[in-house]
Amino acid sequence: MRVRELVKSFEPYRVEEGDYPVRLDKNESPYDLPNWVKEEIFEELRELSFNRYPHITSMPAREAIADFYGLSPENVAVGNGGDELISYLVRLFEGGYVVTTPPTFSMYYFYAKLNGIPVLEVPLREDFTIDGDAIAEKAGNASVVFIASPNNPTGNLQPEEEIVKVLDTGTAMVLDEAYAEFAGKTLWRLIEEYPNLIVLRTFSKAFSLAGVRAGYLLANGEIVDALYRVKSPFSVGIMTTAAVKVVLRHYDLVERRVAKIIEERERIRRVFREFTYPSDANFLLMRLNAYEFLLGKGIAVRKLAGRLDGHIRVTVGRKWENRKLIEALREFLEVRECG
């Protein structure tokens, strides 16, 4: 038995292990679902047979999402998290390479490399916005372009006019809007104008379903049909479908929680404005090399590398968690000044 050399070249995806009282490292919602919402999910499950496979193409979940957006289910694909959909999108279209815009979500690069597909990087500008003209120049021979807006880990929305420059090339473009609820802006309606646009969304952030693993995309019917020709059958379980259907019925709860997170996000940023970039997501990028110091205080955040070496990405938590963070970072800055 021989493991492929390509596989050996990968470093496993890691998160900080340990029982830290404050976890602000994975961009999860700090709010679990209320018990009364969970009870609705359980009621949905009681009507289902656990010994039977779920719908082969997740049609009940697709129908619920389509109703939410006023679309047809043929415009929706659902995955076991957004990562599953990314793993198919990198190999769905013809072309010589995948285009990414670092620093950005690492899984675009991961799945392309795993499938032996070259990656061409068009770095973000100094202000972390995309250069639509530079991407368009490279898009002609690309199979797909990935753009995250708001971008992870920088937190900023990408300018619509720059995105449109890429769409105008006709190359397949994935617009990853995992954090769109926190930005108050989405470009999903452009799928009606641009058949090459795929909008990737998730229930893991604003909808508090990170533990359920539910991602979806919105696109024209031809792309969705092509995806389901190669996608693993039965990959979205009945628990995921039940949770998706229920939380979409309670979007008012999601909106209230998003508003709280935005309020806390801006509170943290006001305190550390000198070191913190503006954010349209549920996290903040900070020019503070405070990762180890915060771990020592029982606070886990995300340590960044490469172009963002010396930066941390901090998920916005509950008010008491954010208070702990603020206290710890103030102490860090005092120690740094004294040193």
Side-chain angles (χ1 to χ4, degrees), residues 19 24 28 71 79-80 124 145 170 185 207 231 237 265 296 309:
D19 188 19
L24 305 176
E28 303 149 315
L71 293 170
N80 184 12
L124 298 178
V145 176
K185 182 177 180 180
F207 285 86
K231 186 176 178 293
R265 180 189 74 196
D309 187 38

Side-chain angles (χ1 to χ4, degrees), residues 266-277:
E266 296 309 304
R267 181 169 75 95
I268 299 169
R269 183 165 181 266
R270 283 194 299 271
V271 176
F272 301 105
R273 183 175 295 274
E274 181 182 353
F275 309 100
T276 307
Y277 294 91

Side-chain angles (χ1 to χ4, degrees), residues 2 44 83 93 105 112 225 234 261 323:
R2 290 186 298 169
E44 290 270 345
D83 279 21
F93 306 99
F105 188 43
D225 176 72
F234 313 116
I261 291 169
R323 184 174 64 250

